[in-house]
Amino acid sequence: MGHRPWQVVLLPGGILPVGPAYAALLAELGTDVDARPKELEIYATDVPPPGYTLSTEVAGVLRVADDAGFERFHLVGYSAGGAAALAFAASRPERLLSLALMEPAFAGWQETTDAERSHFLRFRELLDKEGPEMLTEFQALQLAPGVDPIPPPAGPAPPWMAKRPAALQTILRAFLASDLDLGTLRRFDRPVWFALGGRSHPDYYALMAQRLATVFPDFRVESFPDRHHFDPPHRIEPARVAASLRSLWPRATPS
């Protein structure tokens, strides 16, 4: 007798839409996963919603899970979606069976080292830049020294790209004006998996992973040495990520 399908909500980053972001991973996960890939709430309208905060994303995850009939579920989040997943774990921990984080863009300010804090504050400069200049610097801040940003694909930009600069700046403002309650997360007793790219900026994601390892009681980091934030493992190495998730979920599911 087979088990009930894994009930999963997946959150993308702030640039690539959820469909192409998770297509390869969902193909690897197979048919026994009841997956709900969810676009970020900031893209629910043509312009960023007024008063946007991470609570906006938390409410969106809750709506999708409720509509799907997921009482408790597994949450997967990458980049801005990872920040939203952390915020959800802090505010609605009773709804989660596990948490999979792929380089979340923000994990609060509490207990940051000087190096982690000062690196993240460099993103404030992007609020005064526009268009290609902003997007190039946005990439550079997340890549290890010596790693070149990925050039934009040839040809016209896809229509959805027009929303990205304003949305990314709105997300950054939300991060800079908010925090994450690590005390609440210390009581989160579900397993947490963190995917870390070896070519991502170490003062950003490696230091974040080290900090979160002292917060979550059950926290595991998996390193992907050849990956960075903009060629993430769920797109480039989906079979390996699928295997990692399939190892995570049985540990989380009550017997």
Side-chain angles (χ1 to χ4, degrees):
M1 184 176 179
H3 69 81
R4 188 176 72 171
W6 308 109
Q7 297 179 334
V8 186
V9 176
L10 302 100
L11 304 176
I15 297 183
L16 195 64
V18 69
Y22 283 118
L25 178 60
L26 291 175
E28 291 289 344
L29 286 172
T31 58
D32 66 336
V33 176
D34 187 357
R36 305 302 167 107
K38 183 203 171 299
E39 190 58 88
L40 296 179
E41 289 293 300
I42 198 160
Y43 295 123
T45 53
D46 288 337
V47 296
Y52 174 87
T53 67
L54 281 172
S55 295
T56 309
E57 299 294 348
V58 169
V61 173
L62 194 62
R63 183 188 69 248
V64 166
D66 287 346
D67 289 348
F70 293 174
E71 181 178 354
R72 298 182 73 194
F73 59 96
H74 305 278
L75 185 56
V76 178
Y78 157 73
S79 194
L86 277 167
F88 191 92
S91 61
R92 298 304 301 267
E94 77 283 356
R95 296 296 298 269
L96 294 183
L97 290 168
S98 73
L99 185 61
L101 303 169
M102 297 178 288
E103 296 190 340
F106 180 68
W109 301 97
Q110 295 176 22
E111 301 179 23
T112 53
T113 62
D114 290 344
E116 184 183 356
R117 176 179 287 267
S118 62
H119 184 80
F120 192 80
L121 285 172
R122 293 174 64 190
F123 281 90
R124 194 185 297 276
E125 302 168 9
L126 303 187
L127 299 178
D128 298 321
K129 298 182 179 181
E130 297 181 355
E133 180 187 15
M134 191 275 285
L135 292 172
T136 298
E137 184 65 16
F138 177 77
Q139 278 200 61
L141 285 171
Q142 300 182 67
L143 301 175
V147 176
D148 293 329
I150 295 177
W160 50 260
M161 194 64 197
K163 295 183 178 182
R164 268 49 191 176
L168 292 175
Q169 289 179 328
T170 300
I171 292 169
L172 282 174
R173 288 189 183 94
F175 292 166
L176 290 164
S178 62
D179 205 350
L180 191 65
D181 183 1
L182 297 189
T184 300
L185 294 180
R186 282 194 164 88
R187 296 189 292 274
F188 186 82
D189 62 356
R190 303 283 82 202
V192 181
W193 175 79
F194 190 111
L196 179 63
R199 302 173 72 222
S200 296
H201 203 294
D203 287 351
Y204 193 174
Y205 297 112
L207 291 181
M208 179 191 292
Q210 291 173 21
R211 179 164 57 99
L212 292 179
T214 70
V215 173
F216 288 107
D218 184 351
F219 183 85
R220 299 183 183 181
V221 176
E222 183 171 353
S223 295
F224 293 79
D226 297 328
R227 301 277 67 81
H228 63 63
H229 197 72
F230 298 100
D231 67 347
H234 61 282
R235 296 209 315 264
I236 310 302
E237 300 182 48
R240 181 177 167 189
V241 172
S244 297
L245 293 176
R246 286 189 169 278
S247 295
L248 172 73
W249 295 337
R251 293 198 301 115
T253 304
S255 57

